[in-house]
Amino acid sequence: IYVSRHNADGTLDETYGEGGISHFKANPTVYMNGAKDAVLSDDGLLYITGWTYDHEDNTAFVLCLDENGYKFPGFGNNGIVETEYGGGIVYEAIDVDSDGNLVVVGYLNDLLVVRRYTADGELDVTFGNNGTVNDTVSNSIYSCGFDVKILEDGKIVVVGFKYDVWYDDYVIQKAYISRYNADGSIDE
């Protein structure tokens, strides 16, 4: 994972990381190690989310960097939270609320996943089912979250796509938008 900070004129900010650049590796990584989205909190912490692949399973991660480009030790396991599941878990997007709580979205195998972490990197057990909402999005056969926004009232908006019907080699794909309450329940 490559992170750089630039000055207003486009040059590297030499005070960030090592000469303006920070490199990180989530585990396990054999084939792929990629960041998908990032968000800057009000207190200057940078949260990066993505996933790795080791030829068998995916591991999703949230990486937290301080204002100097180094792992922030007060988050997760020395600055990183990694989530393994058999098959495939992917984090595609992240947002942070004014209290420093994080919401990530993506997919777990064929279901939308929405997960909330506390400011210290623990799953927020008051959200969904012990920190996680898995949703079929209107009874689709496959659904994925690609972006997330936490609103000022704590509600969470997720956008993505879903497959409703699958015929032999033909798929009907649709965009969707969903809104969840602050506790992870669907906002009806």
Side-chain angles (χ1 to χ4, degrees):
I1 301 163
Y2 170 94
V3 182
S4 63
R5 185 165 69 192
H6 299 261
N7 298 309
D9 65 0
T11 59
L12 284 174
D13 178 353
E14 300 286 332
T15 67
Y16 188 79
E18 302 297 324
I21 300 170
S22 295
H23 290 145
F24 303 95
K25 181 179 178 184
N27 291 310
T29 300
V30 175
Y31 175 67
M32 180 180 274
N33 188 26
K36 299 295 285 185
D37 196 16
V39 64
L40 190 62
S41 69
D42 291 341
D43 58 0
L45 296 174
L46 178 65
Y47 296 94
I48 302 166
T49 195
W51 55 280
T52 67
Y53 179 64
D54 68 358
H55 291 293
E56 291 181 17
D57 293 319
N58 294 345
T59 299
F61 66 85
V62 177
L63 173 66
C64 181
L65 304 182
D66 66 19
E67 65 278 356
N68 298 310
Y70 298 101
K71 286 184 181 179
F72 180 66
F75 181 80
N77 182 10
N78 192 32
I80 193 164
V81 171
E82 296 171 320
T83 305
E84 295 181 42
Y85 278 93
I89 185 162
V90 171
Y91 290 167
E92 294 282 353
I94 189 169
D95 200 12
V96 61
D97 68 18
S98 59
D99 295 325
N101 297 309
L102 305 162
V103 174
V104 293
V105 298
Y107 57 92
L108 171 58
N109 297 319
D110 57 355
L111 295 175
L112 163 69
V113 64
V114 182
R115 183 166 281 153
R116 186 164 63 199
Y117 292 96
T118 62
D120 61 1
E122 298 293 323
L123 277 176
D124 181 351
V125 297
T126 68
F127 181 79
N129 182 7
N130 291 318
T132 302
V133 172
N134 290 111
D135 196 351
T136 60
V137 185
S138 301
N139 298 316
S140 61
I141 58 174
Y142 174 85
S143 49
C144 175
F146 271 129
D147 206 356
V148 61
K149 179 67 178 166
I150 304 170
L151 305 177
E152 287 183 20
D153 63 1
K155 292 187 180 187
I156 300 161
V157 176
V158 176
V159 295
F161 72 88
K162 63 180 186 156
Y163 295 158
D164 281 346
V165 181
W166 199 311
Y167 301 104
D168 296 325
D169 293 327
Y170 180 70
V171 176
I172 297 175
Q173 182 175 325
K174 296 178 182 177
Y176 74 88
I177 184 168
S178 297
R179 188 168 66 188
Y180 297 87
N181 295 309
D183 66 359
S185 61
I186 196 78
D187 184 8
E188 298 183 42

